[in-house]
Amino acid sequence: MEYRVDDRSLTPEGFLAFVDQVWPGDYDVEKTRSALARTLNITARDSGQLVGCLRILTDGCFFGTITELLVLPAYQRRGIGSRLLQLAGEHTPTRLYFGAQPGAEGFYEKNGCRRSLPSYMIEPQEDGAP
C-alpha cells in the first residue's frame, strides 16, 4: 500500500470514480476540482488504484476539519483508515475537528480521537430567502 500526503496527482475524475463506490451521488466535476484544490489530500493507493482518501480543510493556524475519510468497501478493516488518520495527525498544522457517521464512533475512539464539541450545521440560503 502506498500512502501519499498532499497527493497532487488526485484528479476530480479519479476522485469521483472512487467516491461513487463508497458514497454514490451526483457530484459536479468542476466543484470537485475546486474542493480538492482547497484541501490537503492524503491518499492510499494499491498498485496505483485509489482505495482510500482523507481530506483536511484548514486555515493553517487555528482550525482544521476532516471533510471525509473514505476507504473502498473491499479494502475496509485492513488498517487503511487508521493509517490515513495517523498521517492526518502527523501532517496537520492545527487541531482537527470533525463529525462521525453514526456507528463509526468506535473506530475513531480506537484510533485515539477524543469526543469534542457537538456539531451544528447552517445550510446556505437560496437567493432571496429571508
Side-chain angles (χ1 to χ4, degrees), residues 98-113:
F98 56 94
Q101 292 293 322
E105 299 90 347
F107 165 78
Y108 291 107
E109 290 170 3
K110 173 188 84 165
N111 281 284
C113 301

Side-chain angles (χ1 to χ4, degrees), residues 15 18-19 22-23 51-54 68-72 80 84:
F15 180 74
F18 161 76
V19 168
V22 182
W23 267 352
V51 299
C53 185
L54 181 148
E68 68 256 337
L69 167 56
L70 303 171
V71 177
L72 290 180
I80 296 168
L84 290 170

Side-chain angles (χ1 to χ4, degrees), residues 46-109:
D46 184 12
S47 300
Q49 177 193 359
L50 182 62
V51 299
C53 185
L54 181 148
R55 295 189 323 118
I56 297 172
L57 180 63
T58 180
D59 64 12
C61 298
F62 304 109
F63 177 82
T65 187
I66 295 174
T67 61
E68 68 256 337
L69 167 56
L70 303 171
V71 177
L72 290 180
Y75 285 82
Q76 292 175 3
R77 302 198 184 291
R78 296 187 190 185
I80 296 168
S82 296
R83 180 69 177 134
L84 290 170
L85 274 177
Q86 179 185 15
L87 290 168
E90 293 171 3
H91 294 279
T92 182
T94 65
R95 284 185 178 170
L96 294 174
Y97 297 91
F98 56 94
Q101 292 293 322
E105 299 90 347
F107 165 78
Y108 291 107
E109 290 170 3

Side-chain angles (χ1 to χ4, degrees), residues 114-125:
R114 293 178 299 148
R115 288 184 186 259
S116 183
L117 304 170
S119 65
Y120 295 88
M121 179 175 67
I122 298 174
E123 291 283 348
Q125 300 219 349

